[in-house]
Amino acid sequence: MTPDRSCRLGISMQRDRFSAAVVENDGTVLASIERPLPTAAVTAALPLLVEELMAQAGPRGVDLEHIQQVMVGVSEIDGLAGLPGAAPGWRRWPGQLGPVAVVRLGAATTSLPPLAAWPSSLRSTVSITEACVAGGARLDGTDFEPLDTAALVAFAREIAGRVNAVAVSSVFAAVAPGHELAAAGLLRAELGDSVPILLSHEMGGSGLLERENATVLQAALIRRAWGAAHRLRRSLVDVGLSHAEPFLARNDGSIMTVDYALTRPLLMHGAAAAVGARGAALLAGESEALVAFTNVEGEPTAVCSVTAGSAELAAGSTVIAGVQTGLRTVALVPTTPPIGGTGCGLAQLSEAVDRAKSSPRDLPLLVIGPGAEKLVDTLPGPLPGTTLVCCPPRADAAAAVGVAVAPVSGEAVRMFSANSPHGDDIRHRVMEQARAAAVHAGADPATVAVTDVEESTVPYVSEPTVSLRARAEGPPRVGWRRTYERS
């Protein structure tokens, strides 16, 4: 039976520090901490943070049974995974990347074969083989060429027993994913259900190469993501939270269930900044603001803009481990190298503030992170372009608060001809797909709703074409009572 009082535990991991908070469903923060990260993983830190948080929350009538969800946010998936280029000393998941097999549906695209632009060291680590076979769609959704089923079966038999996952991409899969779905069926019939088949149309992004790259990276991370999920669930049992469903923060400041994240681990990249901005807005009571992130020395590291309570996302793609992906992350303006609060440091911070603004209107600057109070104490007052500079309450734990209150989201993307007589039907279907995606990610199906619909014109195509993106959000589902048993 679910207790009358329902709370969430939020945890944010950022390099060598973590923050955690207990928050009621109405957004009231009951307890928070921010500490150096004493161990290599959140699972090992759980006993410490639970003990400290409950010491604060217990006198307010909260016990472990009241915590119904545990939300975890991380900063950089490449560091977590140990991808090439990760900072020395960064914690890494155990094991190795891959091995992955890569297949592209579109024989006419071989002028730039799969992974051709990847760093050679990463490519050789991740992929055991790549292939292009006939298939794919045109922009109007019709087949570009028939799907070469015989070649797919032969490919599957070649890689059987040698791979952890298969990444499948197809020309214009965002328009017509049928060939990807058919390929997955053929591959699964040959390889069995134990080998995950990841499809590019589920990863988002319209560009073939960026979508393909993201799919391959996700496939490379999937096995170690399973291991991390197992350890997280087991550690929740160990600290008395077996009844609490775990969620993971994603790059846009929302959350997703662990099961959903297992085939989409790349979505965790940059999540700590996104939930930090959300937490800052909530704690300060400001839906439109600028947010400055700090390190423990009180130096600002980056600035971003918040609109409608959420961090604004960068318009372009994201490079991860030297690979261009279609992943959209927070539009952070770095103040690199880290700066102090005086002299030319003020000029750098003012420049970052100016660059982060999406409109000429002056906005409050909310300073968060472990060194927030130190930075604000060194500033002479509001900076140009700001109405005030302040530390919200519990500024050091803003990211933990942000992940605890974050909604579950889902998106659907579709391209179609601007002259299509079925445009309204397509729009309706895309919105329904966004709702379904949010529910799949763990949103409460009774309250999930479409929150944004964005239409834009696709450039560089001969026929006028619309790109439609719909987003749905809702609170996390409740009543999840499965106990994760230790094996």
Side-chain angles (χ1 to χ4, degrees):
M1 180 177 176
T2 302
D4 293 336
R5 194 172 190 180
S6 182
C7 302
R8 305 173 189 175
L9 168 60
I11 304 167
S12 176
M13 314 288 290
Q14 299 185 68
R15 296 193 178 272
D16 57 350
R17 302 188 72 86
F18 75 89
S19 59
V22 175
V23 181
E24 290 202 84
N25 278 351
D26 64 0
T28 302
V29 183
L30 302 174
S32 68
I33 59 172
E34 197 279 335
R35 298 283 186 273
L37 185 63
T39 57
V42 64
T43 52
L46 262 175
L48 167 67
L49 66 88
V50 167
E51 180 181 1
E52 287 201 44
L53 287 173
M54 296 313 297
Q56 295 182 39
R60 304 183 70 173
V62 177
D63 58 38
L64 289 179
E65 186 63 23
H66 293 130
I67 297 177
Q68 295 301 300
Q69 293 105 2
V70 176
M71 289 80 167
V72 181
V74 298
S75 54
E76 298 171 11
I77 195 69
D78 54 346
L80 283 172
L83 292 172
W90 187 262
R91 63 190 186 279
R92 301 169 188 270
W93 289 344
Q96 299 177 348
L97 292 169
V100 172
V102 183
V103 59
R104 181 192 295 172
L105 311 180
T109 65
T110 52
S111 60
L112 191 62
L115 314 192
W118 280 44
S120 58
S121 60
L122 180 59
R123 180 175 180 175
S124 61
T125 300
V126 166
S127 174
I128 63 167
T129 186
E130 305 98 37
C132 283
V133 304
R138 293 188 176 91
L139 189 55
D140 63 2
T142 61
D143 288 354
F144 179 75
E145 56 191 355
L147 180 64
D148 191 340
T149 57
L152 280 169
V153 170
F155 180 77
R157 292 174 179 173
E158 174 193 346
I159 63 174
R162 301 169 53 207
V163 296
N164 281 344
V166 181
V168 180
S169 59
S170 175
V171 177
F172 284 121
V175 175
H179 279 190
E180 286 193 354
L181 295 168
L186 290 167
L187 293 168
R188 195 168 288 114
E190 294 292 331
L191 301 174
D193 292 335
S194 63
V195 178
I197 313 295
L198 280 73
L199 307 181
S200 76
H201 77 272
E202 297 178 344
M203 306 303 168
S206 56
L208 171 62
L209 296 180
E210 293 178 349
R211 182 164 33 86
E212 179 178 71
N213 289 344
T215 308
V216 176
L217 281 175
Q218 306 230 67
L221 294 168
I222 193 169
R223 286 290 182 180
R224 62 180 63 210
W226 288 358
H230 174 77
R231 291 189 294 277
L232 174 60
R233 285 170 165 157
R234 188 173 62 188
S235 66
L236 291 177
V237 173
D238 292 342
V239 297
L241 289 171
S242 61
H243 59 280
E245 181 171 17
F247 288 76
L248 295 171
R250 55 193 292 177
N251 56 302
D252 60 1
S254 64
I255 54 175
M256 54 188 168
T257 66
V258 168
D259 287 341
Y260 185 86
L262 288 180
T263 54
R264 301 163 181 84
L266 208 65
L267 292 181
M268 293 188 286
H269 184 81
V275 295
R278 180 184 292 277
L282 173 76
L283 292 169
E286 299 281 358
S287 61
E288 312 287 328
L290 297 164
V291 176
F293 300 84
T294 64
N295 60 22
V296 71
E297 287 79 23
E299 299 166 332
T301 57
V303 179
C304 75
S305 179
V306 169
T307 301
S310 299
E312 293 191 3
L313 301 182
S317 56
T318 300
V319 176
I320 299 176
V323 175
Q324 201 84 18
T325 76
L327 189 71
R328 296 181 68 196
T329 53
V330 175
L332 287 174
V333 178
T335 56
T336 306
I339 57 176
T342 59
C344 67
L346 272 178
Q348 291 186 47
L349 180 57
S350 296
E351 180 183 356
V353 165
D354 185 62
R355 290 174 56 200
K357 294 175 66 176
S358 56
S359 73
R361 185 163 60 95
D362 289 355
L363 294 169
L365 177 63
L366 314 177
V367 184
I368 63 170
E373 292 186 2
K374 288 183 182 179
L375 174 61
V376 171
D377 287 344
T378 66
L379 297 177
L383 300 177
T386 70
T387 56
L388 59 88
V389 179
C390 71
C391 290
R394 304 181 190 267
D396 59 345
V401 173
V403 71
V405 302
V408 182
S409 73
E411 282 193 349
V413 179
R414 177 74 186 271
M415 292 191 297
F416 60 95
S417 170
N419 300 321
S420 171
H422 307 294
D424 289 343
D425 290 338
I426 293 172
R427 292 178 177 89
H428 176 75
R429 286 199 301 272
V430 171
M431 288 189 285
E432 289 302 314
Q433 289 167 0
R435 291 189 188 96
V439 172
H440 186 202
D444 181 355
T447 55
V448 67
V450 173
T451 56
D452 186 54
V453 179
E454 179 183 310
E455 289 193 28
S456 58
T457 302
V458 179
Y460 311 120
V461 294
S462 57
E463 178 183 356
T465 302
V466 172
S467 177
L468 175 66
R469 180 189 301 270
R471 179 181 178 85
E473 291 183 353
R477 63 195 182 192
V478 295
W480 185 85
R481 300 296 295 174
R482 184 180 68 184
T483 298
Y484 185 73
E485 300 293 345
R486 295 193 63 168
S487 57

